[in-house]
Each structure stands twice: as structure tokens, then as C-alpha cells.
């Protein structure tokens, strides 16, 4: 903050002492700042750090990591690595099942391999030949690729997996290749999520702008009715609003039944529920108020005399709208679009309830990996990418967006 | 520090003396998986055990070995007995979190005097004691298909003969098996095929399911809770759905829903009791096991849920005294997974396969679903 000189209406100059004003200001926002740091920033940093922080698992494999330090990521490591992992399993027997689960995130089948190995450890000679004779997977370089990844305190593999990529050679972080085709899901989901966000923004703007215009012009009862229609859903629980769409859209629901009865559609009524269509429709419905309200607030401040002046000066109504009215209301539209983008980017409940597999978004994968597969590293990497995209989008909008005078 | 030690000493003494207070009866903590199933256990043999002067503290958990591991690892065993499926029983026994139980010691003799040989199924580890058997089945809506109705697994995938969407559990368990059977893998070779072919076998099953999903005459609806399949069927949202036999039974008998169970391709699954390692109430737990698995006691649970006892003599008792259901008019026999009429084309749950591969196949399943 810099020292400011203000001119009071009386004309005398009064000096505000800068230091004190700053202190008072800081003191006033301190509780808010503290709450934000404690309950937003710290948990966020902690959670996103899970995507790269692998220290706990690396600790269980400390001897293996040392033995693998001269391994180049190709073929099988030497005998000492097998002896080291036998020692690590023995010394951390309490954590074997957790370790096995984490290895399994990078190589299917590791849970059973680790479980059987741990149970029979005393009977296996701690050499390469001994391990491979016990189970053929110990002779698979992919097994050692997973072990190497998990033995390092810092992990970039979750971020690669979140983009359908993987490190070809675990010891060289830049040897990136595509995941096998059957395991590629995230690129498709990222694209679908972006596409849904853009479609929902477009639909909300197309429906919301005329609605906001109507509200800004309406008087008396019409205004109360219109505003009530926009605000009422805000006061209804989200879950109730979403499930009521199920009653409308499911194949024995109101809309398909009506369509079939009206004879408008020949043959079977296309499926309207449990797919991408339902996700887009319900998301548009849920997010519509966020398009209407900011636009309405801006429209209310626009002076009607400017539009009339344009008409008086000879502009056609269409030209007056595009050159005079629209530019003045654009900040409201942009604000609505930003809100909807941020919300729809992380949408999870609506696709979960109405979208079926074809209408699920990246948020559903985060929820799945966070609560079901317990792959918190991947969930954190996906969340991190989500967060970075929003930050980047916000920056771009800040540069591009029209400023209000 | 000194007073802390003293408190600890007092507490230990109190704990050591506690069992003496219940010298006449046993007190035992039993944890099961809730719902209609746990009700059948309480009414079937729990109440009788308590009437004999014992005490049962019932708990509910959601399955899985996590909580059990924590209790045993920390030496703080609160549950004495847990109700587990066979995969969990095998894993837990291997990990050493369950007590080894001598089956002979806890088996009350059948009317003909047989004990261990009375079990129709052999247990697959040295720890657990088998209780009841249920079926992973599928069913159809009898209003939709009143005359010609689906009878085989192939019909579940045949949208030409039986058009309409199908319900399926949102998990590869059962879905993969059904798809492979319908695709021509002999029922008794499904798990060996899955073990040998690995990912290729799973892909074959997923391709079969994907064809059904994309079929304009078919379609798949994924359900997550056991209560959903009867509801989806009754509402007409799906024309067929997979589900657990007990849930369909409740909808048919109690709600008169237009549903018929198809037993072709049923996957038979097994429930057990296991005793937590290091429990202070080992003798009480054994007494409970001997009581609960006695033929008349275990048979009584089938009055409340149609799950077949492991013990042959208990099944005979049910069939000889029909109608066995608590409503006094429904025959339980037709709903038992072990009824020979329901076993024409069945397989036993691939405990080893799923124990070893569930995580990776589930990952594959999720990837497949996200790409639909």
C-alpha cells in the first residue's frame, strides 16, 4: 500500500497515516486469511502433494532402493536386489499388504505375487533363480519396473498415468510412452469433461441471457414470478433436483412415455437417461442460475437511455443491441461463464446419478480412486491437473476479459 | 508413571477376574454384515443361545479384513467372531489373524451321529467354520416375458429373443463369469480359463458385455446396492438383472413382485464364521460355534432368509418340514442355491481367482466402463 492523499469535500487536505491504516486493515482480514490458509490452502497442498510424495512406501523398500541404485531399468536386476526385497518384506511384514496394494497400482497381479511371496518367504532362496523358480512373475521386468517406481521417495508416474502415459524406463523419467490401449481412459475423459463444460456454458448463456433480460425489464408480479423460478431451485436440495430428473428422463419416466404416446417418434424412444445427454441436460439445469444472476445484476445497472440514444441517432434495433447494449452487459455474461466453467469442471454428483458410464466425467474418476480403489496418488494427480487447468483458464480470462469502466 | 502402572495393573486384574463373573454363561461378541441376513442369524440361533443363559453382543461391519487386522495387530481384540466370505476366510487364515479351529471340536453331531462328514462342502482353510450357502443369480420380469421366458445364460445376452435393457452389478464379479459362459466357455472351466488366459480372457468377457451395452435392443444398467435389482425389475427399467438370491426372494414373497429367479449360471458362494486371533473369549466363541452350527439351529436361519446350510442334515430338516418360511406358507426349498434343480449349470465362486485378481480386474472394469 502506498501513502494516499485525499481531498475532502471541504477542500482541505487530510493525510491518512499509511502504516496504521495498513495494520488495521491487516488485522481486520487476519481471521479470514487464517481460515483460508488453515482450511483451504493447507489441505489442498497436502492433498495435491500426495500425487508425488511417496516417502512412506519408499521407507518400506529402503534396502531394495539401495540395491536397485545401479540398475538401469532394463532386464532383471542382480541377485542382491532379490535378497534386498526379501529383507524388506521380512522387516516390514506389517506393511506388506499396503505395499502390495501400491505396487498393484502400477502392475496388475502384484497383490497376489507379494502375498504369496510374503507367506512363503522362509522357503525361497534369496536369489534371482530362487525367486523366479518360486513365481514366474519375479522374472518379469515389469514387476521390477513397479518395484523401482514405488521405492523412490518422489513419484511422477501418477501424473503420467492421469494423462494415459507411463515411463517406459522407470530410471529415466523422460522416457515417456503411451499406456496400453485398453488402459487408456483419461484423455477421453478429459476431452469429454471439457466438451461438456463448453456445451453447458453455451446452453446456459443462450437460455440465461434472454431470461436475465426479461427479468431486468419485468415489473411487479411478473418479476417476482420470474425471479422465483430462477431462485427456487437454489433453495431445493441438489440431490432432490437431480433425482427429479430421473423421474422425467428414465425409460419408464414422464418424457419418454409422453413422447411414445404422442406418436412423434416412431419405434422405440431413444434412451434419454444414464448417458451423456442426461448429464448435459441436468448440468445445464443445475448451473443455469449462475448464468442468469450475474448477467441480470449487470443489466440492471445499464442505463436504458444509451440504447434509446443509439436508436435516435439512426441505428437499427439490431445494430443498437450489438454495438451498445451487448458490450455493456458482456462482463455479466463472462462472469457467469467463468462460474459455470469452474463448477462444471469438477462436477461429480450429477454425472454419477444420471450419466451412467457414457456420461461420467473426470470428477467421477477422482471420487472412484479416492474412495474405492484407494489410489490416492492418482486421485491427487487428477485433482492437481484439474486445479492447474482452472488456474490457467482464470489467467487467460483475466487477460482476455473486457474490463468494466 | 508409577500411578499409571498401578492403574494398568488394576485394569489387568479386573479383566482377568471378569470372566469369573460370567462363570455360568458365556459372553461373546459376534460381528456380521447386517440387514435381513443378520436378522436371520439373531432369530435363527442367537436368541436360543441367549435363552440358555449366555450373552451375545451383536455388531455390524461392512465386510473386509481391515478392521480385523487392526484389532489383531494392536492386540485389542473386541470382536470374538466375525461373519466372513470364503475368500476373506482364506486370506485371514493365511495371514494369521484368525484362530485355527478344530472342526470336530465345534461340530455338534447330526441326528444320525455324523459330525464333520455332515458338511456337504469342505472348508478351504483351517480356521473358518462354514455356515450357509447362497447364490449369485439373475432374474427377469414375468410381466415382460409371460410366455416364452429366459432360461439360460445365453438368453441374458440374446436381445433378439428377449429385447430390453439388462441390469448388472457395477463390478466384474459375476459379470465376467456370465459373459464367458454365454460366449461359449464351459461353465466348469471358467476360472481355469481366466487363470490361464489372464487379461485376454477378461477382454473377451468385456467385449461380450460391450456388445450388449451398445445393442439398440439391449443396453446395460449398472446397479450398486443389493436392493436395486428387484426395484429396477419391478419398475420395468430393466427386463432382466443380476442380483443375490435372498433379495429377489424377499421381493417375490413379501412384495409379490413379478420376478422370477433364473438359476442357470448361478455362482454359489459360501459364508463362514471365523474367530479372531488372540481373543480373550476363545472358549465362549467355540461354545457359540457349536451351538450355531448345530443342525436344528442353522436350519432355523433359513426361515428368515433362504440360504442353504452347509450341513446336509440341516437341509434335510428344512425340506422335510416345508413350508419352512417364517410366513408359514412359502416353501424355502426352491430358493436354496444347493437345490439340485438349481444346480443344472452352476459354478462355485472362484475364491482363489478373485482373491488374487480382484484389484487388477476391477481396474480394467473401470477403464472399460469409462470408455463406453
Amino acid at each position: 500500500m502506498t501513502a494516499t492523499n485525499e481531498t475532502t469535500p471541504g477542500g482541505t487536505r487530510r493525510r491518512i497515516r499509511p502504516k496504521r491504516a495498513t495494520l488495521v486493515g491487516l488485522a481486520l482480514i487476519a481471521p479470514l486469511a487464517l481460515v483460508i490458509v488453515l482450511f483451504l490452502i493447507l489441505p489442498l497442498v497436502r492433498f495435491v502433494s500426495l500425487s508425488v510424495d511417496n516417502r512412506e512406501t519408499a521407507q518400506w523398500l529402503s534396502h531394495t532402493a539401495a540395491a536397485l541404485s545401479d540398475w538401469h531399468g532394463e532386464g532383471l536386476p542382480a541377485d542382491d536386489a532379490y535378497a534386498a526385497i526379501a529383507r524388506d518384506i521380512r522387516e516390514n511384514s506389517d506393511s506388506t499388504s499396503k505395499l502390495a496394494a501400491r505396487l498393484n497400482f502400477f502392475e496388475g497381479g502384484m497383490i497376489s505375487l507379494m502375498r504369496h511371496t510374503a507367506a512363503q518367504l522362509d522357503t525361497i532362496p534369496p536369489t534371482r533363480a530362487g525367486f523366479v523358480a518360486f513365481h514366474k512373475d519375479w522374472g518379469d521386468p515389469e514387476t521390477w519396473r513397479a518395484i523401482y517406481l514405488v521405492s523412490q521417495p518422489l513419484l511422477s508416474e501418477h501424473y503420467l498415468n492421469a494423462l494415459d502415459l507411463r515411463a517406459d524406463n522407470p530410471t529415466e523419467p523422460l522416457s515417456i510412452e503411451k499406456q496400453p490401449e485398453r488402459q487408456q481412459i483419461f484423455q477421453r475423459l478429459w476431452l469429454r469433461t471439457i466438451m461438456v463444460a463448453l456445451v453447458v456454458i453455451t446452453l446456459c448463456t443462450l437460455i440465461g441471457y434472454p431470461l436475465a433480460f426479461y427479468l431486468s425489464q419485468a415489473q411487479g408480479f411478473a418479476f417476482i414470478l420470474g425471479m422465483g423460478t430462477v431462485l427456487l431451485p437454489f433453495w431445493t436440495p441438489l440431490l432432490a433436483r437431480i433425482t427429479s430428473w430421473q423421474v422425467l428422463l428414465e425409460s419408464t419416466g414422464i418424457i419418454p412415455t409422453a413422447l411414445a404416446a404422442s406418436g412423434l417418434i416412431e419405434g422405440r424412444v431413444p434412451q434419454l437417461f444414464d448417458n451423456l445427454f442426461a448429464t448435459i441436460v441436468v448440468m445445464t439445469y443445475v448451473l443455469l442460475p449462475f448464468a442468469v444472476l450475474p448477467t441480470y445484476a449487470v443489466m440492471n445497472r445499464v442505463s436504458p437511455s444509451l440504447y434509446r440514444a443509439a436508436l435516435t441517432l439512426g441505428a437499427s434495433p439490431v445494430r443498437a443491441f450489438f454495438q451498445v447494449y451487448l458490450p455493456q452487459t458482456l462482463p455479466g455474461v463472462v462472469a457467469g461463464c467463468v462460474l459455470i466453467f469452474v463448477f462444471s469442471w469438477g462436477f461429480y454428483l450429477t454425472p454419477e446419478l444420471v450419466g451412467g458410464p457414457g456420461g461420467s466425467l473426470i470428477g467421477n474418476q477422482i471420487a472412484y480412486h479416492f474412495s474405492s480403489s484407494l489410489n490416492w496418488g492418482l486421485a491427487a494427480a487428477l485433482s492437481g491437473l484439474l486445479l492447474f487447468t482452472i488456474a490457467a483458464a482464470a489467467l487467460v480470462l483475466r487477460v482476455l476479459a473486457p474490463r468494466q469502466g | 508413571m508409577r500411578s499409571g502402572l498401578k492403574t494398568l495393573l488394576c485394569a489387568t486384574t479386573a479383566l482377568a477376574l471378569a470372566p469369573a463373573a460370567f462363570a455360568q454363561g458365556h459372553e461373546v461378541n459376534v460381528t456380521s454384515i447386517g440387514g435381513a441376513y443378520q436378522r436371520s442369524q439373531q432369530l435363527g440361533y442367537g436368541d436360543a443361545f441367549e435363552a440358555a443363559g449366555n450373552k451375545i453382543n451383536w455388531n455390524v461391519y461392512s465386510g473386509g479384513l481391515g478392521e480385523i487386522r487392526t484389532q489383531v495387530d494392536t492386540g485389542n481384540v473386541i470382536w470374538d467372531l466375525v461373519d466372513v466370505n470364503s475368500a476373506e476366510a482364506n486370506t485371514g487364515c493365511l495371514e494369521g489373524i484368525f484362530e485355527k479351529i478344530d472342526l470336530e471340536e465345534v461340530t455338534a453331531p447330526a441326528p444320525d451321529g455324523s459330525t464333520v462328514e455332515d458338511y456337504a462342502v469342505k472348508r478351504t482353510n483351517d480356521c473358518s467354520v462354514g455356515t450357509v450357502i447362497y447364490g449369485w443369480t439373475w432374474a427377469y420380469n414375468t410381466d415382460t416375458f409371460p410366455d416364452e421366458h429366459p432360461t439360460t445364460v445365453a438368453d441374458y445376452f440374446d436381445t433378439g429373443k428377449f429385447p430390453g435393457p439388462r441390469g448388472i452389478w457395477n463390478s466384474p464379479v459375476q459379470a465376467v463369469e456370465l459373459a464367458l459362459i454365454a460366449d461359449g466357455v464351459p461353465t466348469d472351466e471358467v476360472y481355469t480359463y481366466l487363470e490361464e488366459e489372464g487379461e485376454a480372457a477378461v477382454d473377451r468377457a468385456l467385449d461380450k458385455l460391450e456388445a450388449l451395452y451398445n445393442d439398440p435392443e439391449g443396453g446395460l444398467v449398472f446397479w450398486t446396492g443389493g436392493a436395486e435389482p428387484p426395484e429396477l425389475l419391478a419398475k420395468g427399467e430393466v427386463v432382466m438383472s443380476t442380483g443375490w438370491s435372498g433379495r429377489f426372494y424377499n421381493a417375490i414373497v413379501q412384495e409379490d413382485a413379478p420376478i422370477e429367479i433364473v438359476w442357470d449360471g448361478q455362482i454359489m458362494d459360501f459364508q463362514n464364521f471365523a474367530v479372531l486371533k488372540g481373543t480373550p473369549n476363545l472358549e465362549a466363541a467355540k461354545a457359540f460355534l457349536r451351538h450355531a452350527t448345530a443342525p436344528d439351529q442353522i436350519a432355523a436361519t433359513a426361515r428368515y432368509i433362504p440360504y442353504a446350510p452347509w450341513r446336509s442334515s440341516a437341509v434335510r430338516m428344512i425340506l422335510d418340514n416345508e413350508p419352512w418360511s417364517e410366513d408359514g406358507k412359502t416353501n424355502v426349498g426352491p430358493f436354496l442355491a444347493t437345490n439340485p434343480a438349481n444346480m443344472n449349470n452352476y459354478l462355485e465362486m472362484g475364491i482363489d481367482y478373485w482373491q488374487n485378481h480382484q484389484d487388477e480386474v476391477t481396474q480394467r472394469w473401470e477403464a472399460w466402463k469409462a470408455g463406453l
Side-chain angles (χ1 to χ4, degrees):
Chain A
M1 269 185 201
T2 53
T4 48
N5 290 314
E6 272 188 10
T7 309
T8 57
T12 52
R13 291 166 75 97
R14 189 157 60 93
R15 204 180 154 79
I16 297 171
R17 272 178 296 172
K19 203 170 176 188
R20 180 147 171 229
T22 314
L23 277 180
V24 170
L26 280 180
L28 281 174
I29 62 158
L32 179 67
L34 196 68
V35 166
I36 290 180
V37 168
L38 270 183
F39 296 107
L40 183 70
I41 312 273
L42 280 184
L44 217 56
V45 169
R46 171 82 191 91
F47 183 63
V48 173
S49 73
L50 285 175
S51 59
V52 289
D53 180 1
N54 188 48
R55 281 171 302 178
E56 188 190 22
T57 323
Q59 201 188 320
W60 299 328
L61 286 171
S62 51
H63 300 110
T64 314
L68 284 176
S69 58
D70 55 352
W71 182 56
H72 298 297
E74 278 157 16
L76 295 174
D79 279 345
D80 60 336
Y82 287 90
I85 197 154
R87 188 174 163 195
D88 278 327
I89 294 174
R90 192 170 287 123
E91 287 180 7
N92 301 290
S93 56
D94 292 349
S95 315
T96 309
S97 51
K98 269 198 240 171
L99 173 65
R102 288 186 197 172
L103 285 166
N104 208 67
F105 293 148
F106 300 112
E107 176 64 19
M110 287 304 286
I111 287 186
S112 54
L113 181 64
M114 290 299 284
R115 186 187 284 141
H116 284 124
T117 308
Q120 306 286 323
L121 200 57
D122 294 333
T123 64
I124 310 171
T127 60
R128 186 201 295 178
F131 267 65
V132 176
F134 172 70
H135 198 300
K136 66 174 174 19
D137 283 356
W138 280 114
D140 183 354
E142 289 292 308
T143 300
W144 284 97
R145 179 183 169 277
I147 292 172
Y148 183 88
L149 284 172
V150 162
S151 69
Q152 303 301 307
L154 264 181
L155 202 56
S156 60
E157 188 77 359
H158 286 307
Y159 275 98
L160 295 178
N161 288 354
L163 294 167
D164 287 342
L165 305 170
R166 54 176 245 153
D168 179 26
N169 182 334
T171 61
E172 291 170 28
L174 291 179
S175 63
I176 295 169
E177 63 171 11
K178 281 189 174 173
Q179 288 268 40
E181 201 187 330
R182 288 259 182 184
Q183 287 170 36
Q184 293 179 13
I185 56 170
F186 293 116
Q187 287 184 8
R188 197 163 28 198
L189 282 176
W190 286 113
L191 273 179
R192 190 190 285 165
T193 308
I194 293 174
M195 197 273 287
V196 166
L198 294 179
V199 171
V200 169
I201 288 173
T202 314
L203 287 174
C204 281
T205 310
L206 288 180
I207 303 169
Y209 194 84
L211 201 57
F213 180 73
Y214 170 77
L215 285 176
S216 72
Q217 304 296 314
Q219 306 268 326
F221 182 69
F223 173 77
I224 294 172
L225 190 73
M227 207 56 178
T229 321
V230 174
L231 285 180
L232 195 66
F234 258 156
W235 304 327
T236 320
L238 184 63
L239 208 58
R241 279 185 282 157
I242 296 174
T243 32
S244 62
W245 274 98
Q246 182 173 357
V247 180
L248 288 173
L249 292 177
E250 64 187 2
S251 60
T252 50
I254 296 169
I255 293 177
T257 316
L259 276 178
S262 69
L264 283 173
I265 289 179
E266 283 178 37
R268 254 176 77 171
V269 177
Q271 201 195 342
L272 303 176
F273 192 67
D274 256 355
N275 57 16
L276 196 57
F277 173 80
T279 299
I280 290 176
V281 168
V282 180
M283 275 176 74
T284 306
Y285 163 77
V286 170
L287 292 171
L288 189 58
F290 296 99
V292 174
L293 295 177
T295 315
Y296 164 77
V298 172
M299 281 175 173
N300 241 2
R301 289 206 301 270
V302 171
S303 162
S305 54
L306 290 172
Y307 178 74
R308 282 203 295 271
L311 291 181
T312 322
L313 291 170
S316 69
V318 174
R319 189 169 169 204
F321 172 79
F322 279 107
Q323 285 205 329
V324 176
Y325 192 73
L326 186 63
Q328 292 189 81
T329 53
L330 215 50
V333 177
V334 171
C337 289
V338 172
L339 272 178
I340 295 173
F341 178 75
V342 171
F343 279 126
S344 63
W345 201 223
F347 244 54
Y348 142 72
L349 194 60
T350 306
E352 184 74 28
L353 291 175
V354 307
S360 73
L361 304 178
I362 208 82
N364 301 88
Q365 281 294 314
I366 297 178
Y368 166 72
H369 285 296
F370 192 64
S371 62
S372 296
S373 81
L374 302 187
N375 190 349
W376 287 12
L378 184 55
L382 289 166
S383 311
L385 288 173
L386 212 61
L387 209 62
F388 299 146
T389 330
I390 288 181
L395 272 179
V396 169
L397 275 167
R398 179 131 186 88
V399 173
L400 293 182
R403 303 258 163 84
Q404 251 181 309
Chain B
M1 192 64 207
R2 181 166 286 252
S3 76
L5 263 180
K6 215 177 201 173
T7 323
L8 198 71
L9 209 68
C10 285
T12 323
T13 323
L15 270 179
L17 290 175
F22 299 99
Q24 307 96 323
H26 294 293
E27 179 167 0
V28 64
N29 301 301
V30 183
T31 301
S32 184
I33 47 182
Y37 174 67
Q38 189 155 339
R39 175 174 171 268
S40 78
Q41 295 177 313
Q42 291 177 2
L43 297 175
Y45 44 69
D47 290 352
F49 190 62
E50 293 199 303
N54 305 293
K55 172 131 182 53
I56 304 174
N57 303 313
W58 290 98
N59 302 292
V60 180
Y61 83 131
S62 54
L65 295 173
E67 284 172 274
I68 301 166
R69 284 194 189 106
T70 312
Q71 288 192 17
V72 175
D73 288 350
T74 57
N76 183 23
V77 176
I78 306 162
W79 302 340
D80 303 319
L81 288 142
V82 281
D83 193 281
V84 287
N85 66 33
S86 286
E88 289 161 349
N90 286 357
T91 309
C93 198
L94 196 71
E95 285 180 17
I97 55 175
F98 292 140
E99 293 279 354
K100 287 201 163 61
I101 297 290
D102 178 7
L103 197 54
E104 185 78 47
E105 187 190 344
V106 296
T107 303
D112 65 2
S114 60
T115 52
V116 175
E117 52 293 1
D118 191 32
Y119 279 89
V121 186
K122 298 279 159 283
R123 63 176 181 172
T124 44
N125 60 70
D126 293 333
C127 302
S128 59
V129 176
T131 51
V132 292
I133 301 166
Y134 64 100
W136 298 62
T137 56
W138 55 284
Y140 65 92
N141 184 316
T142 50
D143 289 344
T144 318
F145 306 117
D147 304 320
E148 198 189 358
H149 56 80
T151 50
T152 65
V153 177
D155 290 341
Y156 181 89
F157 288 85
D158 189 344
T159 53
K161 249 160 88 185
F162 304 104
R166 273 78 163 147
I168 200 153
W169 189 31
N170 184 14
S171 155
V173 181
Q174 190 189 19
V176 165
E177 287 96 325
L178 286 185
L180 288 178
I181 294 172
D183 210 32
V185 178
T187 307
D188 53 352
E189 290 171 21
V190 165
Y191 290 115
T192 34
Y193 178 74
L194 277 165
E195 283 284 4
E196 277 165 15
E197 297 295 318
E199 292 179 353
V202 176
D203 287 346
R204 179 174 169 187
L206 294 180
D207 286 344
K208 182 82 181 168
L209 289 161
E210 189 162 344
L212 183 58
Y213 177 85
N214 289 326
D215 189 336
E217 294 296 315
L220 284 176
V221 173
F222 295 86
W223 57 266
T224 46
E228 280 177 67
E231 194 195 317
L232 286 169
L233 278 169
K235 270 203 318 193
E237 279 297 307
V238 299
V239 297
M240 305 174 202
S241 180
T242 60
W244 292 297
S245 53
R247 297 284 192 166
F248 288 133
Y249 169 85
N250 281 344
I252 295 167
V253 171
Q254 286 165 18
E255 289 153 36
D256 208 19
I259 294 172
E260 179 86 34
I261 302 177
V262 181
W263 290 91
D264 190 74
Q266 75 140 319
I267 302 177
M268 208 182 263
D269 206 351
F270 310 89
Q271 284 301 117
N272 311 259
F273 270 126
V275 181
L276 267 71
K277 186 96 181 172
T279 167
N281 305 321
L282 185 57
E283 286 315 309
K286 283 182 182 168
F288 174 83
L289 282 174
R290 195 178 165 86
H291 167 84
T293 58
D296 58 329
Q297 296 297 321
I298 194 77
T301 63
R303 289 189 192 278
Y304 310 100
I305 200 161
Y307 290 164
W310 284 42
R311 298 192 61 171
S312 318
S313 58
V315 175
R316 272 198 303 279
M317 193 177 296
I318 294 169
L319 298 179
D320 292 346
N321 295 289
E322 295 273 31
W324 188 254
S325 169
E326 60 177 318
D327 65 8
K329 54 180 195 240
T330 309
N331 283 350
V332 169
F335 294 97
L336 297 183
T338 53
N339 185 322
N342 297 339
M343 290 169 60
N344 291 327
N345 183 29
Y346 81 104
L347 65 167
E348 288 182 11
M349 178 54 83
I351 298 158
D352 289 335
Y353 177 77
W354 285 117
Q355 190 184 336
N356 289 335
H357 300 281
Q358 181 141 21
D359 294 86
E360 65 202 72
V361 178
T362 305
Q363 259 179 32
R364 221 170 179 69
W365 170 268
E366 285 297 320
W368 166 76
K369 246 181 54 191
L372 285 175

